[in-house]
Amino acid sequence: MQPYPMFRTYLRTSLCRLLLFSCASIGLVQGQSKWVGSWAASQQLVEPRNSLAGDDLRDSTLRQIVHLSLGGAELRLHLSNRFGTAPLHFNSIHIARPVSVSSAKIDRSSDKALTFSGKAEVTVPAGADYISDAAVFPVRALSDLTITLHVEDPPTSQTGHPGSRATSYVVHGDLVSAADLPTAQKVEHWYFIAGVDVTVPGDSAAIVTLGDSITDGHGATTDENNRWPDQLARRLQAASARPPLAVLNQGIGGNRLLLDGLGPNALARLDQDVLAQAEVRYLMVLEGINDIGTLTRDKDASPAEHESLVQRIVGAYEQIVTRAHTHGIKVIGATILPFAGSQYYHPGPASEADRQAVNRWIRTPGHFDAFVDFDKVTRDPAHPDRLLPEFDCGDHLHPSPGGYGAMASAVPLSLFRPSTENHHATTQPRTAPK
């Protein structure tokens, strides 16, 4: 007589079930989607000249259009009251596909209400961001998304992104689902929206471009999405052989590494604008021109002050690299563009020497994981301290759309691979600034 036949049958059945469950679980993990940032805008306290009047925002509908870099099956929206001093209440928030990027019209059949913990309304605490529930809303890479908010009471301090290079629409009443807003006031700013994430399968990731007005796109064409990060996103999407990569533009006009300007300094916004972004794997840093320009904008500086500035800029770069590396993010430096003749900074030989010193450090191996030489790409060979005339928007400080295209084309797509595949990457300790 064989011992315990019923037990052996039970054991066999249990093992089969366990094996089937394990195989199903592995397949589920391999096929799972993940959240990746597709669009982002750096938040700041909107200065008075770019703020909406309180009466304009009272019982108002605000319709804004953003350009996604990565497509996905679902999305979620990041709201921001980061610089607010009191809670901010939204009655309703809808998304839709725009009929045109330069119009308030939407495709009504695509209109969809977002929810927050299952509710249509949400109150964002002072100083906080808030993420919506996931919404099934398939979007394509490089497509546009309309976001429409209704606000009852205007905040005393407005959080937003003044340098949108995109037209937004404001009108009184709750018209979040309206097909058009023909009587709306037009403004070229974004308010209260900080990001859009999408769900994607596989090895997709995000690239954050951290910078000032040159990354934000001063000199770009309103509603045409031709900043250099936009044009880089188009190149990446055309390179279909690689995993899809998003590009998140975290540029702020006037931004500096060392001091606040129109927005917080780059080090102060690193946590929110870089480290908190969904699935960020690469960081490109183009910062420093405003630090150099500001030093002598209103008065001359001593040689010691120039030397100290260069050292502090390098120290800030090192801080960015160190903090990004703790999150497994590869950091790519970008050389500072020439700006002699600038109508705003009027830099002299000493400021140009500062720029050259900083760029030498950026180009030196062992500092950043890799670098892109935007200086070399945009400078006039006959006058290396100036922008090439065809790349100059006219103020001798910011590139034209053609200049932004040249910058995007100069970024080797081979940089966006795991560090073990990239010969320029380094995991060695960084040397002290010299």
Side-chain angles (χ1 to χ4, degrees):
M1 180 177 177
Q2 294 181 344
Y4 311 112
M6 292 181 63
F7 175 76
R8 288 204 309 272
T9 302
Y10 171 80
L11 184 60
R12 255 195 324 268
T13 303
S14 299
L15 288 172
C16 287
R17 287 175 178 169
L18 180 61
L19 181 60
L20 288 170
F21 177 80
S22 299
C23 291
S25 298
I26 291 169
L28 178 63
V29 170
Q30 290 176 340
Q32 276 181 341
S33 295
K34 61 182 177 180
W35 291 105
V36 179
S38 179
W39 171 84
S42 297
Q43 301 300 289
Q44 61 187 87
L45 177 63
V46 182
E47 65 275 19
R49 66 187 179 92
N50 290 322
S51 298
L52 289 170
D55 287 342
D56 290 339
L57 264 181
R58 194 177 309 280
D59 182 26
S60 70
T61 293
L62 176 58
R63 181 163 287 176
Q64 306 174 90
I65 302 173
V66 302
H67 188 64
L68 306 176
S69 61
L70 198 63
E74 298 176 288
L75 61 77
R76 62 187 186 185
L77 173 68
H78 293 240
L79 296 173
S80 186
N81 189 27
R82 205 176 300 170
F83 295 89
T85 56
L88 177 60
H89 182 74
F90 297 96
N91 298 83
S92 55
I93 301 170
H94 283 222
I95 53 174
R97 294 185 177 87
V99 171
S100 165
V101 294
S102 55
S103 164
K105 294 181 180 180
I106 61 168
D107 174 3
R108 276 293 301 276
S109 66
S110 68
D111 180 67
K112 189 180 187 72
L114 293 181
T115 60
F116 298 79
S117 300
K119 297 182 179 179
E121 62 180 354
V122 62
T123 299
V124 184
D129 287 8
Y130 220 98
I131 303 175
S132 74
D133 300 335
V136 177
F137 194 93
V139 291
R140 299 189 310 274
L142 308 178
S143 65
D144 300 294
L145 179 72
T146 297
I147 303 164
T148 309
L149 322 168
H150 180 254
V151 182
E152 277 187 343
D153 299 312
T156 54
S157 300
Q158 294 174 24
T159 297
H161 187 84
S164 66
R165 326 293 168 199
T167 306
S168 300
Y169 306 87
V170 189
V171 66
H172 285 298
D174 188 348
L175 301 172
V176 290
S177 294
D180 193 10
L181 304 175
T183 62
Q185 171 190 352
K186 296 181 180 180
V187 292
E188 291 185 18
H189 314 297
W190 286 315
Y191 302 92
F192 315 126
I193 54 174
V196 175
D197 302 334
V198 297
T199 54
V200 292
D203 198 33
S204 297
I207 304 163
V208 172
T209 59
L210 182 69
D212 47 47
S213 57
I214 295 174
T215 297
D216 199 22
H218 184 97
T221 312
T222 299
D223 297 326
E224 291 192 14
N225 299 302
N226 51 20
R227 316 161 189 85
W228 74 262
D230 297 322
Q231 301 194 54
L232 174 61
R234 287 196 281 274
R235 283 190 64 211
L236 287 162
Q237 287 300 320
S240 56
R242 64 183 59 248
L245 293 173
V247 180
L248 306 180
N249 188 333
Q250 299 286 22
I252 290 182
N255 199 232
R256 288 180 279 181
L257 287 159
L258 305 174
L259 295 171
D260 291 349
L262 296 179
N265 67 78
L267 285 179
R269 61 193 184 94
L270 195 67
D271 287 342
Q272 285 279 12
D273 289 356
V274 180
L275 305 182
Q277 299 304 308
E279 208 62 33
V280 56
R281 190 177 300 163
Y282 306 96
L283 169 62
M284 298 187 69
V285 182
L286 178 57
E287 287 268 10
I289 196 168
N290 292 313
D291 298 87
I292 294 172
T294 301
L295 181 68
T296 57
R297 181 170 182 260
D298 299 319
K299 60 181 179 62
D300 291 335
S302 68
E305 289 174 310
H306 282 281
E307 182 179 359
S308 174
L309 175 69
V310 171
Q311 292 291 315
R312 287 184 291 125
I313 288 174
V314 166
Y317 288 153
E318 291 182 317
Q319 287 292 303
I320 291 172
V321 172
T322 297
R323 290 168 63 186
H325 278 183
T326 64
H327 293 264
I329 298 170
K330 177 179 178 179
V331 190
I332 301 161
T335 53
I336 298 173
L337 279 60
F339 67 121
S342 162
Q343 300 163 5
Y344 186 75
Y345 284 133
H346 44 81
S351 293
E352 174 62 12
D354 294 343
R355 186 181 75 90
Q356 294 291 351
V358 170
N359 282 349
R360 279 194 301 273
W361 190 90
I362 292 171
R363 294 183 181 111
T364 301
H367 293 162
F368 286 105
D369 295 319
F371 74 91
V372 177
D373 206 340
F374 285 156
D375 168 40
K376 183 178 180 181
V377 171
T378 59
R379 70 191 180 209
D380 183 349
H383 306 281
D385 60 345
R386 292 176 177 264
L387 289 169
L388 198 65
E390 55 263 44
F391 290 166
D392 190 339
C393 80
D395 65 3
H396 312 305
L397 177 62
H398 299 93
S400 62
Y404 287 134
M407 291 169 67
S409 296
V411 179
L413 300 190
S414 59
L415 293 176
F416 308 117
R417 296 175 182 161
S419 59
T420 54
E421 299 179 27
N422 194 296
H423 297 300
H424 297 287
T426 178
T427 56
Q428 300 301 314
R430 254 143 292 282
T431 56
K434 297 178 180 178

